[in-house]
Amino acid sequence: MTSDRIRHAGLAAKVTDAASAAALIRPGDTLGMSGFTGSGYPKAVPVALAERIEAEHAAGHPFRVKVWTGASTGPELDGAMAKADGIEFRMPYNSDPIARQKINAGEMEYFDLHLSHVAPMAWEGFLGHMDVAVVEVSGITPEGDLIPSSSVGNNKTWLELADKVILEVNRWQSPALDGMHDIYYGTALPPNRVPIPLVKPDDRIGQPHFRIDPAKVVAVVETDAPDRNAPFSPPDDTALAIASNILDFLTWEAKRAGLPPSLLPLQSGVGNVPNAVMAGLIETPFEGMTAFTEVIQDGMLDMIEAGTLRMASATAFSLSPEKAQYFNENAQRFRDRLLLRPQDISNNPELVRRLGCIAMNGLIEADIYGNVNSTHVMGSRIQNGIGGSGDFARNGYVSIFMTPSTAKGGAISAIVPQVSHVDHISQDVQVIVTEQGLADLRGLSPKQRARLIVEKCAHPAYRPMLEEYMARAAKGSYGQHAPMLPGEALSWHQRFMETGSMQA
Amino acid sequence: MTSDRIRHAGLAAKVTDAASAAALIRPGDTLGMSGFTGSGYPKAVPVALAERIEAEHAAGHPFRVKVWTGASTGPELDGAMAKADGIEFRMPYNSDPIARQKINAGEMEYFDLHLSHVAPMAWEGFLGHMDVAVVEVSGITPEGDLIPSSSVGNNKTWLELADKVILEVNRWQSPALDGMHDIYYGTALPPNRVPIPLVKPDDRIGQPHFRIDPAKVVAVVETDAPDRNAPFSPPDDTALAIASNILDFLTWEAKRAGLPPSLLPLQSGVGNVPNAVMAGLIETPFEGMTAFTEVIQDGMLDMIEAGTLRMASATAFSLSPEKAQYFNENAQRFRDRLLLRPQDISNNPELVRRLGCIAMNGLIEADIYGNVNSTHVMGSRIQNGIGGSGDFARNGYVSIFMTPSTAKGGAISAIVPQVSHVDHISQDVQVIVTEQGLADLRGLSPKQRARLIVEKCAHPAYRPMLEEYMARAAKGSYGQHAPMLPGEALSWHQRFMETGSMQA
Ligand SMILES: CC(C)(COP(=O)(O)OP(=O)(O)OC[C@H]1O[C@@H](n2cnc3c(N)ncnc32)[C@H](O)[C@@H]1OP(=O)(O)O)[C@@H](O)C(=O)NCCC(=O)NCCS
Ligand SMILES: CC(C)(COP(=O)(O)OP(=O)(O)OC[C@H]1O[C@@H](n2cnc3c(N)ncnc32)[C@H](O)[C@@H]1OP(=O)(O)O)[C@@H](O)C(=O)NCCC(=O)NCCS
């Protein structure tokens, strides 16, 4: 008996409930889960698994698993399973607050890597063996192929690597998703890799569906549950000022470099501020723009409807609940405008460099030399993870990082003498923007960068402190290439930890 | 009247002496110089220019220029011109001791970037305009094409971008170099970039000679002067122990991952230790290996003669004076074994990732989490520059970093609580090796990495200090994902600056 979503008889025969499917997972298993920035993650099996784990723990039996995903997921996966103390090891990117709290309490091991590297590294085998893949799809074709859901992430790889596969077929996902995916089956490990034949963001190089060996599918679970992404914070004055600084820069740069009216493909990172910038870009002088990016945010749908964005290529949706609803109701309208690809393609350095993406990402803190920390608050507490920011920042045409100049009501300066952790080295950070201004650092030496960042980006409340540090470093430093004082460089973080403020 | 090296009449007519050629350079000019790791740099015009600058300075006239190169050059270029205080701005990589001293005294601005990025960034135009290219070649064909010399570097780009070109034709370079180069003319800026059609290290995708518009050539200078690279330090016990640890790892990894008998293309970095490792690799079980790397070192020629290395692709030779002499006398023997390419091809992320290079680079210091500093001693004093290490470390099949566990006779630990500067983030550092042992960090969380690095790599004299730091951080850290103490993390560097030793 097949349903309209499960049109392959053999797989329809494997329909079961979430608890029965979760019962197929063993303690210690490595699970490959679908999901990328709150989209397309399994919503029933992880909850059932968390319940089972809690019951086992209550009975005194240890039960933890290793979880690999595309990127962040939703409360039903990372939240429920972390709450149950069910995750021993998690990779690659997390933004769930409960999982974050466990990681920062030292109760969960977390391995954060470049999102384009996850699939190849899994294939290389040293991360270990994958036992079970749990993958949300939006449907199953009569031939037994899988229609992907609202994210692609690492699903192709998980479906191929896992011993067993559990599918969740989510009726909530729009049927119009069918045809919006481009699954590239041309990857190989060295020495057999070949050029990826993509030269424009809208090139199709693969097929719309995942292949699957039906014999590996051990359970199919039907769901009807929305993606639960973070709500969209409407841009505040700070975000609008940052967006306006970026727009001025792009307009100037397009003229200087003779870029086409469609500019170059946009990449926009995750977080409130990048989201707001996309919303601001709707007022641009550019026409027929494209995005070659990781996630499709609210602002991109608006830009498509406004006619400024011609199309977007990504690996996942990252829409607020309202916008996800809107998309589901109007999906047909976006059919020829959106393409979702595996994350080792959406974030591939070969492609990001070839296309010349304009990379725009958020940051936690930057230092006077332009090194960026995107991940570790006070050097030790993980916020989310590096995600794809490194894939884009190192390879794009220009790499822009943005942040409000202060955090926590002014108690923290986003511009510090030395970042407490480095995700993006100064070579990969060409422009830094705050609501105060924009520093174009291209081609500048460390001391030239420092002067510009402090002048253009720092908050006035911290600018004199930074200038005094630079003056002291110009005297006491071991070398004068990039003057720094090891005894003082991280003192602002120490002061914050002791007093709750970086202000002296 | 043409000579056997200058077989184009129009260009032969432009032969002049170095002083006359140097007279064509104006104060404030931006010069694009050939040269990469002590090979193929101009040897007469920079010396004449330095003399002219000294004379102008003596007469009270300011005279400084901006110098762009491939990478490091030789004493006749960076040495002579830095000594004359003639360099206002220098990029991208320097290892000359006089230039280094000027940079670290704050007397010369230095901009250090990924070597694969230099040519594209120059094309993008924001680095400024190039006035004069000064390029060494080994000969000029009857058609007026240029036969490259012992390095390719950015020469293709400098010849195209500069308003005026000065050529040095160096008779010392072997005539057998002709045919060993592969100059790819398929690059373009986005949105017109296409896949680079190279799938094996020995693929030829270009032509053997540079094109040049003869009208741009303002002077041709004949020289007969050797490349002056650093002498080769024979491997000491420490280097041999590091090489042996790496060989064990590669043998184990090849078996684990089922790599071919020829392994994957090798990349070997600059410095004494990587040099020694290449010398050690001659005793390998692998057969028919290849190198896709930046520079061809002494050890690679030995491996070719021993039959273990089938061929090497690079952008430059980096041979000791003795080996350079040997190569010149026996160049025919290496003709089909070596290929030199532009550095935006030899180091291209697209190619490094496609081929799956085994990246092996030196470091200054690493921290317990596996972040690597390759450039800044005590966080502020530049040693050389990041060079191509980031191109290879982020994109290779596996990224190995190596160092003796201590420096300066034990007064410095190469493994520290926190590096004073970051060039390679932990995600790009998969293996760290010292003479003490090897840490395979792939797939490990920060705390797992820290335990392994301290156990396997740190010197016994520093291991207890690192363990005590980790124990304190496990209590006092803001977060427990990657425990760290901002007030203490850089205290080892501070102590060294105050007492001359990191030992408490
Ligand atoms: C860096 C990043 C966290 C910024 O996100 P954002 O939502 O724009 O930033 P916000 O200003 O809202 O800050 C997020 C939190 O960090 C805190 N924060 C920001 N800067 C801080 C700083 N310098 N010190 C301490 N905390 C800071 C904020 O106060 C906020 O905390 P809260 O949730 O307790 O209020 C986010 O962009 C990210 O995770 N980046 C890494 C991954 C990435 O770039 N992916 C894109 C690749 S395609
Ligand atoms: C990192 C690098 C400098 C190591 O070079 P090396 O020759 O193998 O290393 P050595 O051990 O001889 O060290 C070089 C100098 O740094 C000093 N040094 C090394 N480690 C140090 C440390 N932790 N603290 C202070 N000084 C240190 C050494 O004492 C030596 O100084 P000296 O010249 O005064 O004797 C070199 O590999 C490099 O420049 N790397 C960056 C570029 C790169 O990787 N390019 C390859 C891309 S293809």
Side-chain angles (χ1 to χ4, degrees):
Chain A
M1 171 62 215
T2 63
S3 79
D4 63 326
R5 292 277 178 152
I6 309 176
R7 292 185 289 150
H8 179 273
L11 291 175
K14 298 189 182 178
V15 169
T16 181
D17 60 285
S20 310
L24 301 168
I25 294 167
R26 299 158 308 180
D29 271 358
T30 294
L31 308 181
M33 301 274 205
S34 65
F36 201 107
T37 51
S39 297
Y41 56 94
K43 296 164 182 81
V45 175
V47 173
L49 178 61
E51 280 166 14
R52 186 171 154 225
I53 288 172
E54 279 177 348
E56 293 286 347
H57 286 179
H61 305 147
F63 195 148
R64 300 181 94 192
V65 292
K66 303 185 191 76
V67 176
W68 305 358
T69 63
S72 52
T73 68
E76 302 94 325
L77 198 170
D78 279 306
M81 289 195 46
K83 184 154 170 289
D85 255 328
I87 308 181
E88 166 189 336
F89 180 94
R90 171 74 171 76
M91 76 159 200
Y93 180 88
N94 168 71
S95 66
D96 180 82
I98 304 173
R100 180 189 293 139
Q101 186 268 319
K102 295 269 176 193
I103 295 166
N104 286 318
E107 294 163 13
M108 202 171 128
E109 300 298 325
Y110 175 52
F111 174 48
D112 169 31
L113 61 169
H114 302 298
L115 291 181
S116 78
H117 284 194
V118 183
M121 286 193 175
W123 280 110
E124 285 167 13
F126 60 82
L127 297 174
H129 183 79
M130 176 169 291
D131 299 291
V132 186
V134 188
V135 173
E136 179 182 283
V137 297
S138 62
I140 302 177
T141 70
E143 298 75 29
D145 290 336
L146 308 179
I147 306 168
S149 143
S150 49
S151 68
V152 176
N154 291 312
N155 294 352
K156 168 185 168 287
T157 296
W158 295 173
L159 292 168
E160 291 176 321
L161 283 179
D163 292 336
K164 297 184 228 168
V165 171
I166 297 173
L167 298 174
E168 287 197 6
V169 183
N170 187 356
R171 174 172 305 280
W172 178 82
Q173 299 288 3
S174 167
L177 282 176
D178 191 4
M180 279 193 193
H181 307 90
D182 186 52
I183 314 299
Y184 179 59
Y185 273 90
T187 55
L189 286 182
N192 302 314
R193 270 198 196 129
V194 293
I196 303 171
L198 183 152
V199 296
K200 293 194 310 299
D202 35 355
D203 282 348
R204 283 184 178 270
I205 58 174
Q207 54 182 63
H209 302 149
F210 296 122
R211 302 175 196 151
I212 178 83
D213 172 4
K216 288 212 310 194
V217 179
V218 294
V220 178
V221 176
E222 291 184 288
T223 62
D224 186 357
D227 283 333
R228 280 168 62 184
N229 232 309
F232 179 70
S233 322
D236 58 9
D237 287 349
T238 303
L240 288 175
I242 293 173
S244 148
N245 289 336
I246 292 181
L247 198 54
D248 287 349
F249 169 75
L250 292 178
T251 309
W252 174 85
E253 172 68 12
K255 195 157 168 224
R256 186 201 64 74
L259 299 179
S262 58
L263 206 62
L264 289 168
L266 303 176
Q267 177 262 335
S268 166
V270 297
N272 292 323
V273 181
N275 243 324
V277 167
M278 281 317 284
L281 274 182
I282 203 160
E283 307 281 333
T284 111
F286 304 107
E287 284 168 21
M289 290 197 285
T290 57
F292 190 82
T293 188
E294 200 177 276
V295 292
I296 293 167
Q297 298 132 316
D298 288 24
M300 291 192 188
L301 295 195
D302 296 338
M303 286 172 77
I304 286 177
E305 297 209 299
T308 36
L309 192 68
R310 185 167 61 76
M311 68 83 55
S313 161
T315 192
F317 287 96
S318 181
L319 299 175
S320 65
E322 306 75 54
K323 206 71 178 183
Q325 192 58 40
Y326 177 82
F327 171 78
N328 268 8
E329 285 158 12
N330 299 277
Q332 281 297 349
R333 203 183 296 174
F334 296 100
R335 264 190 75 87
D336 304 329
R337 305 296 181 146
L338 302 175
L339 267 183
L340 297 187
R341 313 175 184 277
Q343 71 192 67
D344 47 325
I345 299 299
S346 65
N347 285 28
N348 197 291
E350 171 176 342
L351 303 181
V352 173
R353 182 150 168 165
R354 182 178 305 149
L355 297 172
C357 292
I358 296 187
M360 299 183 283
N361 290 290
L363 62 76
I364 300 254
E365 58 179 7
D367 65 28
I368 55 174
Y369 295 120
N371 301 289
V372 160
N373 173 8
S374 305
T375 54
H376 287 63
V377 173
M378 303 301 140
S380 58
R381 188 181 290 190
I382 190 87
Q383 179 69 16
N384 302 319
I386 194 166
S389 51
D391 294 322
F392 289 95
R394 181 159 296 177
N395 298 293
Y397 171 83
V398 61
S399 161
I400 303 173
F401 281 91
M402 62 188 91
T403 180
S405 67
T406 61
K408 304 291 172 206
I412 290 178
S413 174
I415 310 295
V416 290
Q418 177 143 338
V419 286
S420 56
H421 175 94
V422 176
D423 293 289
H424 305 291
I425 63 173
S426 61
Q427 285 89 346
D428 301 335
V429 179
Q430 279 129 21
V431 173
I432 296 183
V433 199
T434 69
E435 80 289 353
Q436 301 291 323
L438 180 145
D440 179 357
L441 306 167
R442 295 177 295 176
L444 300 186
S445 72
K447 286 190 290 289
Q448 294 168 334
R449 285 201 291 269
R451 280 192 292 272
L452 205 63
I453 292 172
V454 172
E455 180 198 326
K456 302 276 187 186
C457 302
H459 191 277
Y462 287 99
R463 209 175 286 151
M465 287 170 65
L466 289 165
E467 280 161 359
E468 286 157 25
Y469 171 79
M470 284 161 65
R472 278 193 300 279
K475 294 209 189 74
S477 182
Y478 194 67
Q480 288 300 327
H481 173 55
M484 94 97 159
L485 301 171
E488 196 184 326
L490 299 174
S491 62
W492 294 27
H493 302 87
Q494 183 67 23
R495 193 179 311 125
F496 174 81
M497 285 167 60
E498 285 166 9
T499 70
S501 171
M502 284 186 173
Q503 283 286 354
Chain B
M1 171 64 214
T2 62
S3 80
D4 62 327
R5 292 275 178 153
I6 309 176
R7 291 186 290 149
H8 179 274
L11 292 175
K14 299 188 180 178
V15 170
T16 182
D17 60 284
S20 310
L24 302 169
I25 295 167
R26 298 160 308 180
D29 271 357
T30 294
L31 309 181
M33 300 274 205
S34 64
F36 201 109
T37 52
S39 298
Y41 57 93
K43 296 165 181 80
V45 175
V47 172
L49 179 61
E51 280 166 15
R52 189 173 150 221
I53 288 172
E54 278 176 347
E56 295 285 345
H57 286 178
H61 306 147
F63 196 146
R64 299 182 92 193
V65 292
K66 304 188 191 74
V67 176
W68 305 357
T69 63
S72 52
T73 68
E76 300 94 325
L77 198 171
D78 278 307
M81 289 193 47
K83 184 153 167 290
D85 255 327
I87 309 181
E88 166 190 336
F89 179 93
R90 172 72 170 77
M91 74 160 201
Y93 180 88
N94 169 69
S95 66
D96 179 82
I98 303 172
R100 181 189 294 139
Q101 185 266 318
K102 294 269 177 192
I103 296 166
N104 286 317
E107 295 162 12
M108 204 172 127
E109 299 299 324
Y110 175 52
F111 174 46
D112 168 32
L113 62 169
H114 302 297
L115 291 181
S116 78
H117 285 194
V118 183
M121 286 192 175
W123 278 110
E124 286 167 14
F126 60 81
L127 297 174
H129 183 78
M130 176 170 290
D131 300 291
V132 187
V134 187
V135 173
E136 179 183 282
V137 297
S138 64
I140 301 176
T141 71
E143 298 74 28
D145 290 336
L146 308 179
I147 306 168
S149 146
S150 49
S151 68
V152 176
N154 291 313
N155 294 353
K156 167 184 168 289
T157 295
W158 294 172
L159 292 169
E160 291 176 320
L161 284 179
D163 291 336
K164 296 184 228 167
V165 171
I166 297 173
L167 298 174
E168 288 197 7
V169 183
N170 187 355
R171 176 173 304 281
W172 177 83
Q173 299 288 3
S174 168
L177 282 176
D178 191 4
M180 280 194 192
H181 307 91
D182 185 52
I183 313 300
Y184 179 59
Y185 273 90
T187 54
L189 286 182
N192 302 314
R193 268 198 199 131
V194 293
I196 303 170
L198 182 151
V199 295
K200 294 194 309 300
D202 34 356
D203 282 348
R204 282 183 179 270
I205 58 174
Q207 55 183 62
H209 303 148
F210 297 122
R211 302 175 195 150
I212 177 84
D213 171 5
K216 288 213 307 197
V217 179
V218 293
V220 178
V221 176
E222 291 185 286
T223 63
D224 186 357
D227 283 334
R228 280 167 63 183
N229 233 310
F232 180 68
S233 323
D236 59 9
D237 286 350
T238 303
L240 289 174
I242 292 173
S244 150
N245 288 336
I246 292 181
L247 198 53
D248 287 350
F249 169 76
L250 291 178
T251 309
W252 173 86
E253 173 68 12
K255 197 158 167 223
R256 185 200 66 72
L259 299 179
S262 58
L263 205 63
L264 289 168
L266 303 175
Q267 178 261 334
S268 165
V270 295
N272 292 322
V273 180
N275 244 323
V277 166
M278 280 319 283
L281 273 181
I282 202 160
E283 306 282 332
T284 116
F286 305 107
E287 285 168 18
M289 291 196 285
T290 58
F292 191 83
T293 188
E294 200 176 277
V295 293
I296 293 167
Q297 298 132 317
D298 288 26
M300 291 193 187
L301 295 195
D302 296 338
M303 286 172 77
I304 286 178
E305 296 209 299
T308 36
L309 192 68
R310 185 167 62 76
M311 69 82 56
S313 161
T315 191
F317 287 95
S318 181
L319 300 175
S320 65
E322 306 76 54
K323 207 70 178 184
Q325 191 58 40
Y326 177 83
F327 171 79
N328 268 7
E329 285 158 12
N330 299 277
Q332 281 297 347
R333 204 184 293 174
F334 296 100
R335 264 190 74 87
D336 304 329
R337 306 295 180 148
L338 301 175
L339 267 183
L340 298 187
R341 311 174 185 278
Q343 71 192 66
D344 47 324
I345 299 297
S346 66
N347 285 28
N348 196 290
E350 170 176 342
L351 303 180
V352 173
R353 182 150 169 165
R354 182 177 305 148
L355 297 172
C357 292
I358 296 188
M360 299 183 284
N361 291 291
L363 61 77
I364 300 253
E365 59 179 6
D367 66 29
I368 54 173
Y369 295 120
N371 301 290
V372 161
N373 173 7
S374 305
T375 54
H376 287 64
V377 173
M378 303 301 140
S380 59
R381 188 181 288 189
I382 192 85
Q383 179 69 16
N384 301 320
I386 194 167
S389 50
D391 294 322
F392 288 95
R394 181 159 296 176
N395 297 294
Y397 171 83
V398 62
S399 161
I400 303 173
F401 280 91
M402 62 187 92
T403 181
S405 66
T406 61
K408 303 292 173 206
I412 291 178
S413 174
I415 311 294
V416 290
Q418 176 143 338
V419 287
S420 55
H421 175 93
V422 176
D423 293 289
H424 304 291
I425 63 173
S426 61
Q427 285 88 345
D428 301 335
V429 179
Q430 280 129 21
V431 173
I432 296 182
V433 199
T434 69
E435 80 289 354
Q436 301 291 323
L438 180 146
D440 179 357
L441 305 167
R442 294 178 294 175
L444 300 186
S445 72
K447 287 190 289 288
Q448 294 168 334
R449 286 202 290 269
R451 282 192 291 272
L452 205 63
I453 292 172
V454 173
E455 181 197 325
K456 301 276 187 185
C457 301
H459 191 277
Y462 287 99
R463 209 174 287 152
M465 287 169 65
L466 289 166
E467 281 160 358
E468 286 156 26
Y469 172 79
M470 283 160 64
R472 276 192 301 278
K475 294 210 189 74
S477 182
Y478 193 67
Q480 288 299 328
H481 173 55
M484 94 96 158
L485 301 172
E488 197 184 328
L490 299 175
S491 63
W492 295 27
H493 302 86
Q494 183 67 23
R495 193 179 310 123
F496 173 80
M497 285 167 60
E498 285 166 8
T499 70
S501 171
M502 284 186 174
Q503 282 287 354

Short mmCIF file of all heavy atoms in Angstrom, two decimals, chain A residues 70 309 331 341:
data_model
loop_
_atom_site.label_atom_id
_atom_site.label_comp_id
_atom_site.label_asym_id
_atom_site.label_seq_id
_atom_site.Cartn_x
_atom_site.Cartn_y
_atom_site.Cartn_z
N GLY A 70 24.56 17.65 8.88
CA GLY A 70 25.01 18.59 7.86
C GLY A 70 25.59 19.81 8.56
O GLY A 70 26.75 20.14 8.44
N LEU A 309 17.34 39.69 -7.15
CA LEU A 309 18.10 38.43 -7.14
C LEU A 309 17.50 37.50 -8.19
O LEU A 309 16.32 37.17 -8.14
CB LEU A 309 18.02 37.79 -5.76
CG LEU A 309 18.98 36.63 -5.49
CD1 LEU A 309 20.42 37.12 -5.43
CD2 LEU A 309 18.64 35.94 -4.16
N ALA A 331 5.65 28.02 -3.07
CA ALA A 331 6.89 27.40 -3.54
C ALA A 331 7.01 27.41 -5.06
O ALA A 331 8.10 27.61 -5.60
CB ALA A 331 7.00 25.97 -3.00
N ARG A 341 22.10 22.02 -3.21
CA ARG A 341 23.16 21.07 -3.58
C ARG A 341 23.77 20.45 -2.32
O ARG A 341 23.65 21.02 -1.25
CB ARG A 341 24.29 21.79 -4.30
CG ARG A 341 23.85 22.73 -5.40
CD ARG A 341 25.05 23.47 -5.95
NE ARG A 341 24.69 24.47 -6.94
CZ ARG A 341 24.49 24.20 -8.23
NH1 ARG A 341 24.62 22.97 -8.68
NH2 ARG A 341 24.15 25.16 -9.07
#
